[in-house]
Amino acid sequence: MAHRIAFLGFVALAVCASLSSAADPANLQDFCVADASGNTRMNGMACKNPAMVQASDFAFSGLHIPGNTSNAVGSRVTPVAVTQIPGLNTLGISMVRIDYAPWGINSLHTHPRATEILTVIEGSLEVGFVTSNPENRHITKILKKGDVFVFPVGLIHYQRNIGYGNAVAIAALSSQNPGVITIANTVFGSQPDISTDLLAKAFQVDKGVVWQLQAKF
């Protein structure tokens, strides 16, 4: 009997341990407004004293203002993440406004920490993402005003304005700090440079092509 009780106790402990490790992390308070002046290093940002929290910690103004698309790619992303709204800290959500000049692009990039759901507000966009190796399947669609599209976390994706007028989209992301890795900038604009020999072999091009691309970024 004693052995049976000990065994059942061990099983109960194992079940409790598995449940606790499987549970999603959750806030242990109403909010954790980011304290930008805090020196504590952690996964996220340190919390401001709740007594010091103001309504402005949860608000952002200006998303109605068009972004300046006078640049090489013809687009501008206006982020609303934890840097802009400290109250987003630990809440796992953020958003962006994206403005596109005619035929402008939001070039190939990934969000390492977030899935993105995009809604077209004005204009028409060609959107797409590429699945992981070995399939590398290109999934693409033309979106019009009011259409919605999802880009799964971590996958390379893009948008392109296919109209002759400006286009606007709003996207929500499943992280307070989704991060962005722009492929061309990362590969050809790293500091210090990635070896020209390595890039030439990886992309199967001459070194001269790599030098030209690195000079642009």
Side-chain angles (χ1 to χ4, degrees):
M1 177 65 71
H3 291 294
R4 184 180 181 188
I5 292 174
F7 174 73
L8 291 176
F10 173 77
V11 170
L13 287 171
V15 169
C16 289
S18 65
L19 288 174
S20 63
S21 63
D24 291 332
N27 285 339
L28 300 179
Q29 61 277 321
D30 291 338
F31 48 76
C32 172
V33 172
D35 182 3
S37 63
N39 295 321
T40 304
R41 298 181 65 86
M42 56 188 297
N43 186 24
M45 301 180 73
C47 301
K48 180 187 288 189
N49 183 339
M52 304 298 293
V53 168
Q54 304 292 329
S56 59
D57 290 319
F58 300 91
F60 173 84
S61 297
L63 212 59
H64 64 293
I65 301 172
N68 183 0
T69 59
S70 299
N71 53 59
V73 295
S75 71
R76 176 70 62 184
V77 176
T78 303
V80 186
V82 68
T83 302
Q84 290 75 34
I85 301 182
L88 286 176
N89 192 37
T90 75
L91 298 185
I93 192 170
S94 59
M95 66 186 299
V96 297
R97 170 181 171 140
I98 314 170
D99 289 274
Y100 312 83
W103 301 100
I105 64 170
N106 188 12
S107 59
L108 295 165
H109 64 282
T110 73
H111 300 294
R113 296 180 290 274
T115 291
E116 176 180 350
I117 182 167
L118 177 143
T119 303
V120 178
I121 305 301
E122 292 291 344
S124 298
L125 297 177
E126 173 193 352
V127 302
F129 64 85
V130 180
T131 64
S132 55
N133 297 345
E135 290 84 5
N136 299 133
R137 183 182 173 197
H138 180 201
I139 297 176
T140 183
K141 186 174 178 60
I142 302 300
L143 304 182
K144 299 183 182 301
K145 183 177 179 177
D147 290 346
V148 178
F149 196 80
V150 173
F151 303 104
V153 59
L155 296 186
I156 293 175
H157 60 282
Y158 66 90
Q159 303 103 39
R160 178 172 67 153
N161 182 2
I162 57 172
Y164 291 96
N166 294 330
V168 181
I170 295 289
L173 300 108
S174 60
S175 172
Q176 68 186 46
N177 183 24
V180 59
I181 301 172
T182 306
I183 306 306
N185 300 52
T186 302
V187 173
F188 297 107
S190 65
Q191 296 295 329
D193 291 343
I194 298 173
S195 165
T196 303
D197 290 338
L198 189 154
L199 291 176
K201 181 171 287 188
F203 287 94
Q204 296 294 289
V205 297
D206 294 331
K207 292 182 183 179
V209 173
V210 174
W211 288 329
Q212 288 178 348
L213 289 170
Q214 288 178 325
K216 288 182 177 294
F217 293 97

